[in-house]
Amino acid sequence: MNQDYARDLTPFSIDLTFDEVRRRSEVVAALGPHWDPVAALQGEDEAYALLYSGLDEEQQRTYDMLVAAGVLPGQEPGRASAH
């Protein structure tokens, strides 16, 4: 970077904490009082199980390989891919 240009820059920082808290509260408000996070997570688990059910042999080998490599999450609770 050109040193003359860098000297003319004014330091700038912004704290987004307040905006993030406001954004999250708006999301929760938009979900409404009947939103059930436990039911939502159970639904996600059911959808995940359905997505990878009924695989043929080759698909199952590929799935197992991707889980072992950390590309796809496994079946354990709180799953997340390693990468």
Side-chain angles (χ1 to χ4, degrees):
M1 180 182 289
N2 184 330
Q3 289 181 348
D4 293 328
Y5 177 74
R7 241 180 308 181
D8 294 338
L9 294 177
T10 302
F12 178 78
S13 65
I14 185 168
D15 182 0
L16 297 175
T17 305
F18 176 76
D19 286 328
E20 180 62 14
V21 170
R22 184 193 55 76
R23 185 194 68 79
R24 288 182 184 192
S25 67
E26 292 295 330
V27 168
V28 171
L31 291 171
H34 302 294
W35 180 66
D36 183 356
V38 173
L41 290 174
Q42 287 172 339
E44 286 183 18
D45 285 342
E46 291 167 6
Y48 184 85
L50 184 60
L51 178 65
Y52 293 108
S53 67
L55 300 178
D56 65 29
E57 239 178 77
E58 183 180 350
Q59 291 169 330
Q60 187 64 51
R61 276 194 310 274
T62 301
Y63 171 79
D64 293 340
M65 178 186 65
L66 292 172
V67 169
V71 175
L72 289 176
Q75 298 290 336
E76 64 278 351
R79 63 184 172 268
S81 64
H83 301 285

